[in-house]
Amino acid sequence: MKKLLVATALLSTTLLSGCIVAVSDGEVSHHSAWNSTHKENRAKISKLELGSSYQAVTSKFGTPDFNEAVSKDGHTYQVLFFATNRKHSDGQITKDECTPLVFKDDQLIGFGQAAVDNYL
């Protein structure tokens, strides 16, 4: 019986000694993905031209992280928010991590918080 216990212990140790368990919550790939997206959005914003159409901008950027619209003085203003600067490590995108793009009647009239403050 003693020999059987020793043999079992040796076999178990040998089998388990080569096991490696890797656990990941996806943070590394997630970090890389958002960092890449933010960098791409900043590069796209730096190349924007005022007067660009809403359609032209959204075809380059895709779906915004946030979207707001308001009518004011007979004009339609739309603000698209795209993530450009991560501030929180909570996995959620917030408006303070985005750059706003301001459109008036489907034409880009400005971007950044200064544009929002100036027009709205």
Side-chain angles (χ1 to χ4, degrees):
M1 180 69 164
K2 188 175 181 179
K3 289 182 183 180
L4 181 59
L5 288 175
V6 171
T8 303
L10 288 175
L11 182 58
S12 296
T13 304
T14 304
L15 292 175
L16 292 177
S17 66
C19 285
I20 297 174
V21 177
V23 178
S24 173
D25 64 358
E27 184 65 28
V28 173
S29 61
H30 178 68
H31 169 79
S32 178
W34 69 255
N35 193 31
S36 176
T37 299
H38 290 199
K39 186 176 181 178
E40 289 172 16
N41 285 345
R42 286 191 304 270
K44 290 175 189 175
I45 289 169
S46 72
K47 296 176 184 174
L48 283 175
E49 293 184 23
L50 296 180
S52 297
S53 72
Y54 175 88
Q55 181 62 36
V57 172
T58 56
S59 69
K60 289 179 186 176
F61 280 84
T63 304
D65 294 293
F66 299 95
N67 184 357
E68 297 178 350
V70 64
S71 288
K72 180 179 174 184
D73 300 326
H75 298 283
T76 300
Y77 292 88
Q78 190 159 10
V79 184
L80 306 181
F81 294 83
F82 292 96
T84 54
N85 184 25
R86 184 173 180 182
K87 294 181 182 181
H88 313 287
S89 297
D90 58 4
Q92 301 293 318
I93 296 172
T94 57
K95 284 184 187 175
D96 66 336
E97 298 173 320
C98 296
T99 298
L101 309 183
V102 181
F103 295 84
K104 177 181 177 183
D105 300 327
D106 292 326
Q107 298 295 308
L108 182 66
I109 58 171
F111 51 88
Q113 191 58 45
V116 172
D117 294 343
N118 186 49
Y119 293 107
L120 303 171

